[in-house]
Amino acid sequence: MKQVAVLGATGSIGASALDVIARHPDRFRAGVLSAHRNVDALVELCARFRPELAIIADPALEGALARKLKAAGLPTAAAAGADALTEAAAGPLCDTVLAAIVGAAGLASTLAAARAGKRLLLANKESAVMAGPLLLEALRAGGGVLVPVDSEHNAIFQCLPGGRPELDRAGVRRLILTASGGPFRGRTRADLAAVTPDQACAHPNWRMGRKISVDSATLMNKGLEVIEAHVLFGAAPEAIDVVVHPQSLLHSLVEYTDGSVLAELGNPDMRTALAHALAWPERVEAGVVPLDLAARAQLGFERPDTDTFRCLPLAYQALRAGGDAPALLNAANEIAVEAFLAGALPFLAIADVIEATLAELPPSPVVDAETLVHRDLTARDTARRIMRRAFC
């Protein structure tokens, strides 16, 4: 029986994970659940899964959470804040941690789980992007296991012998990440000048939160995944490619030096990757509709339009720059996307803000988490200043 902490339980990934957990009550138990600010949704999940601990990220809401848990007659303890998340990730209530908190907010708890030797199911790509060297060091120190949950990296994991071998010894030539192209595939820059947040969040294949949906629309999500693939699998930037695959049925590929190309296919449903990560190295039912290739008729592929969707080449630029450049890229992107969703920044300007931030802040070595957090805050302040100067 795996004791699972679902950090980010009220998000789309958390919901999919809990669906898989509920299908296998003899194998998995959700012992810790967390949410950002949605107290009512968290209490509803506690009533269903009855965890030992519920955590609300906003400390101001701890009292409300405790009162509602008590009023519902639930034995679940309440906690709040970043320290509570970190303590739970490293504590005795779980042996498996699903890191599904969106953005930089998930970094500390992810590192804590890795240092504690937990089985880490990584859905928070920002932890690898921001702090790749620190994450790898924490995994080595803790002796735990990391299984990626992003559908692309989970696919690569499945296509590599042993999950994460030395790629050169395994005869790997390239890792190929697939991208749906998002809602604006085929559009020109002129077409995208006046798009709205709702249009950007209307993903054709996946149901996701608004921030990650915008990242998919700009192709920044794929850029972050390129950086994550470098961290998780040790592939050089030039050995990681991206191909647009609109149907989202083929989730990624591994090309070997003998000419073989292995791919993982399935319907676009996050429960596939989550069930694999929860049960690995075994397989369990995920509730996903079987893939009928004949009914889907064809699979299409094309190169990404990096002139229109400039966030992808900016991610490669940050990866090649090294040091904390990926963390600066991620911070600037979070600020720019937040402004776009608030109606304060045009869609095409997201890449402009990121590019200007990287130009103002040369990369520094990744030394420790405290320094990285300071640099993250500096990049956010820089991005805000750039936006004020250019768009206010």
Side-chain angles (χ1 to χ4, degrees):
M1 174 72 74
K2 290 186 175 71
Q3 302 293 328
V4 186
V6 182
L7 305 186
T10 56
S12 59
I13 292 175
S16 294
L18 289 170
D19 181 86
V20 174
I21 288 171
R23 292 172 186 273
H24 302 279
D26 57 326
R27 300 178 66 107
F28 311 118
R29 183 173 185 279
V32 178
L33 299 178
S34 87
H36 179 46
R37 300 191 79 254
N38 195 334
V39 172
D40 290 338
L42 183 56
V43 172
E44 287 180 13
L45 291 177
C46 290
R48 181 181 178 191
F49 292 95
R50 304 184 77 83
E52 279 84 8
L53 179 65
I55 305 170
I56 197 78
D58 187 344
L61 297 174
E62 182 176 4
L65 175 61
R67 287 192 298 274
K68 292 190 176 186
L69 288 171
K70 184 177 180 180
L74 298 173
T76 304
D83 289 345
L85 287 167
T86 300
E87 290 170 10
L93 295 180
C94 62
D95 51 56
T96 301
V97 175
L98 172 62
I101 297 173
V102 176
L107 175 60
S109 55
T110 300
L111 292 177
R115 290 192 200 99
K118 301 301 174 79
R119 183 189 184 98
L120 178 60
L121 312 186
L122 187 64
N124 172 263
K125 63 174 59 66
E126 290 83 1
S127 294
V129 170
M130 287 182 63
L134 300 182
L135 177 60
L136 296 178
E137 178 186 332
L139 286 166
R140 284 191 294 268
V145 174
L146 186 152
V147 184
V149 168
D150 264 349
S151 59
E152 295 80 5
H153 302 92
N154 184 264
I156 290 171
F157 186 94
Q158 294 191 51
C159 292
L160 290 172
R164 294 188 305 277
E166 294 293 330
L167 297 188
D168 53 350
R169 295 180 188 174
V172 172
R173 178 181 290 149
R174 274 191 310 164
L175 307 181
I176 306 170
L177 302 173
T178 57
S180 69
F184 302 140
R185 181 178 66 88
R187 305 279 190 93
T188 66
R189 290 183 63 82
D191 295 332
L192 300 178
V195 299
T196 67
D198 285 343
Q199 290 172 325
C201 291
H203 197 282
N205 299 332
W206 298 94
R207 291 176 298 179
M208 305 181 292
R210 288 175 73 79
K211 191 269 181 184
I212 193 172
S213 294
V214 175
D215 283 349
S216 178
T218 65
L219 290 193
M220 177 55 86
N221 192 47
K222 207 53 49 180
L224 296 178
E225 288 174 4
V226 167
I227 299 171
E228 186 179 1
H230 165 74
V231 172
L232 297 183
F233 305 111
E238 57 273 15
I240 306 171
D241 283 347
V242 172
V243 63
V244 173
H245 167 55
Q247 294 83 10
S248 294
L249 299 178
L250 193 156
H251 302 133
S252 277
L253 311 92
V254 176
E255 178 184 346
Y256 289 86
T257 53
D258 62 5
S260 299
V261 180
L262 301 186
E264 187 269 331
L265 293 86
N267 279 313
D269 191 319
M270 281 303 301
R271 291 177 297 176
T272 297
L274 286 158
H276 172 265
L278 282 163
W280 183 82
E282 300 179 55
R283 300 274 182 170
V284 297
E285 167 65 38
V288 177
V289 176
L291 176 60
D292 184 343
L293 284 173
R296 301 305 294 255
Q298 65 179 10
L299 304 178
F301 303 93
E302 59 195 57
R303 298 189 186 281
D305 178 0
T306 53
D307 291 328
T308 299
F309 302 97
R310 296 175 52 242
C311 287
L312 179 57
L314 286 172
Y316 272 102
Q317 175 187 319
L319 176 57
R320 292 189 175 98
D324 63 4
L328 305 179
L329 170 101
N330 178 72
N333 178 64
E334 287 192 14
I335 293 302
V337 170
E338 181 181 276
F340 167 69
L341 287 172
L345 188 72
F347 179 79
L348 291 174
I350 293 173
D352 297 333
V353 171
I354 297 166
E355 183 176 40
T357 302
L358 292 175
E360 284 201 25
L361 299 174
S364 298
V366 176
V367 178
D368 53 44
E370 292 74 21
T371 303
L372 198 61
V373 168
H374 173 72
R375 290 282 286 174
D376 173 86
L377 293 174
T378 300
R380 290 169 189 271
D381 288 342
T382 302
R384 291 187 186 99
R385 176 168 46 78
I386 289 167
M387 288 191 299
R388 287 195 299 269
R389 187 172 64 213
F391 300 102
C392 296

